[in-house]
Amino acid sequence: MESRHMQRKLNYGRHDPLQSVVVEPCEDQKNGYWIIYIHGGAWRDPRITAESFETTKSVLQANYNLPIAGFASLNYRLSASVKFPQDKNTTPAEEYRKAKHPDHIRDVEAALAFLQNTYNFGQRYILVGHSCGATLAFQAVMGAIAGHREQVSDQGTNDCDVQTEPVSSSPEPLPPRLSAHPAAIIGVAGIYDLRAIVKSHRDIVEYRQFVEGAFGADETLWDAVSPAQMVGSRGVEGGWKTGRLAVLVHSDDDELVEKAQLEAMREVLRAWEAREAQIEKQELSSGERRARVVPISGGHDDAWKQGQELARAIATAFAELSKMGLCPESAA
Ligand SMILES: N[C@@H](CC(=O)c1ccccc1NC=O)C(=O)O
């Protein structure tokens, strides 16, 4: 592979080493899209990090010729896990995992704003999220969570009034504003309805544990932050005004997240799809939107561990953008 593409790890926050991104700009594809990955691990698994995108990235670079302007993979602060206990007395404070909603999504927003300020790609990016990373990807464009922070070019109205989060325990100021939402989101093995996933696994304590670990025990908050639960101005429908393409990816071999999660998200995306995208005046395309389902094979974590199926899903998204007239020819 070409070696002039340099991979670097950059920090976007000062309170936790997990406030970092692994980036690799691709100098020869300036008109392409940035691929920005958000890893899974139930908001708490310290073994699953930004580096978990490496294999998929290598597959994309070796086997596809897509117009990709750069790769970024985000780390974000994690919640505590009973499976990986830490001793508060001996763990350096910045490494002690204690994040609670909205810390995770605020870190994702801060990372995206940091990348936008650094690389100036505007809306030309695709958010790819796996498992709880898919939750975070769609939360980043939900009206009730982040939509009021988007700056739409022609002064979109601010129709979001309610704050749906507890006061953050985080010492951080609010992250800089997200200047633009992604053109496309790819949700892989995603969790989109917290109440439903806990209920459908009520005999396995782990599910309630990781949801409470990240969001607390108040189930009305679970609904308010679930992309498949919020409709209208508080959901993806009202929040993701400039969005063009949503791709939902799932494997029937997935042993951890059931297909009902995808189906619930597919339903709320129907209302989003029916509305026209808000587009820049100089843009020549129509406001057409698409939501697509892409089946893959393999177990829950095989998507990123093996990389081939995730890479294929990403290539499918580029093919859709291309059909919509939203994709440049790839250079070389
Ligand atoms: N290894 C994980 C398990 C996990 O990631 C998970 C389990 C069930 C359903 C979804 C999961 N991950 C989603 O991000 C853990 O530490 O809990």
Side-chain angles (χ1 to χ4, degrees):
M1 236 12 265
E2 296 167 63
S3 53
R4 63 203 152 95
H5 295 161
M6 272 278 289
Q7 177 168 301
R8 295 194 295 163
K9 193 164 183 170
L10 304 169
N11 294 304
Y12 61 82
R14 293 179 296 110
H15 295 282
D16 189 314
L18 288 175
Q19 292 175 312
S20 61
V21 286
V22 177
V23 293
E24 182 176 330
C26 308
E27 295 300 335
D28 46 353
Q29 297 281 5
K30 287 237 162 63
N31 293 321
Y33 287 86
W34 273 73
I35 298 290
I36 303 183
Y37 184 73
I38 311 174
H39 69 76
W43 294 273
R44 66 179 194 177
D45 190 334
R47 299 167 303 179
I48 305 179
T49 65
E51 279 79 12
S52 65
F53 192 57
E54 285 306 298
T55 306
T56 309
K57 187 173 77 176
S58 303
V59 174
L60 284 169
Q61 289 171 326
N63 303 342
Y64 294 89
N65 184 27
L66 302 170
I68 296 174
F71 294 93
S73 186
L74 316 184
N75 282 306
Y76 48 89
R77 281 171 292 167
L78 298 178
S79 298
S81 172
V82 286
K83 287 190 196 165
F84 300 94
Q86 292 177 297
D87 182 348
K88 199 169 183 178
N89 298 317
T90 56
T91 308
E94 69 277 10
E95 286 170 28
Y96 189 69
R97 292 183 293 274
K98 57 177 183 312
K100 283 276 186 187
H101 174 80
D103 297 339
H104 322 92
I105 184 64
R106 289 294 166 257
D107 278 0
V108 166
E109 290 183 300
L112 293 175
F114 168 81
L115 289 168
Q116 282 176 328
N117 292 337
T118 309
Y119 298 105
N120 278 305
F121 48 74
Q123 296 171 15
R124 295 190 69 78
Y125 68 107
I126 300 173
L127 264 191
V128 184
H130 178 259
S131 202
C132 73
T135 323
L136 287 162
F138 280 106
Q139 283 177 335
V141 300
M142 280 171 71
I145 296 183
H148 58 296
R149 295 172 60 77
E150 183 189 28
Q151 292 163 344
V152 178
S153 55
D154 58 3
Q155 293 298 303
T157 48
N158 181 346
D159 55 359
C160 169
D161 44 356
V162 208
Q163 276 292 74
T164 52
E165 57 192 42
V167 176
S168 170
S169 58
S170 149
E172 302 262 312
L174 280 175
R177 277 171 180 277
L178 248 194
S179 58
H181 279 165
I185 295 178
I186 306 177
V188 186
I191 299 172
Y192 307 114
D193 184 331
L194 295 173
R195 194 194 287 264
I197 199 165
V198 170
K199 199 171 170 204
S200 61
H201 301 268
R202 58 175 100 52
D203 301 333
I204 311 172
V205 61
E206 184 182 340
Y207 284 77
R208 176 172 286 277
Q209 237 169 30
F210 73 67
V211 170
E212 288 192 0
F215 297 93
D218 177 0
E219 302 192 6
T220 56
L221 175 68
W222 298 2
D223 290 341
V225 300
S226 291
Q229 275 294 332
M230 286 298 108
V231 295
S233 65
R234 304 182 70 185
V236 170
E237 179 189 350
W240 195 21
K241 297 189 172 68
T242 54
R244 309 304 296 264
L245 174 68
V247 178
L248 301 177
V249 182
H250 188 265
S251 166
D252 285 340
D253 311 324
D254 194 316
E255 73 289 11
L256 296 178
V257 176
E258 62 278 10
K259 191 160 187 206
Q261 289 287 321
L262 176 149
E263 282 158 359
M265 192 63 209
R266 182 70 191 88
E267 277 315 306
V268 302
L269 284 173
R270 285 189 205 288
W272 170 81
E273 218 181 349
R275 291 198 191 190
E276 285 226 332
Q278 217 162 52
I279 55 175
E280 312 245 353
K281 289 194 183 67
Q282 69 271 22
E283 221 182 286
L284 294 171
S285 71
S286 72
E288 185 203 356
R289 279 181 163 161
R290 289 185 186 177
R292 291 285 182 266
V293 171
V294 175
I296 59 169
S297 63
H300 185 74
D301 285 327
D302 289 338
W304 56 267
K305 281 188 175 162
Q306 310 289 331
Q308 282 96 346
E309 288 291 88
L310 180 48
R312 184 171 63 79
I314 291 171
T316 307
F318 274 95
E320 286 297 331
L321 287 170
S322 186
K323 284 188 244 168
M324 296 166 81
L326 295 171
C327 204
E329 290 303 310
S330 139

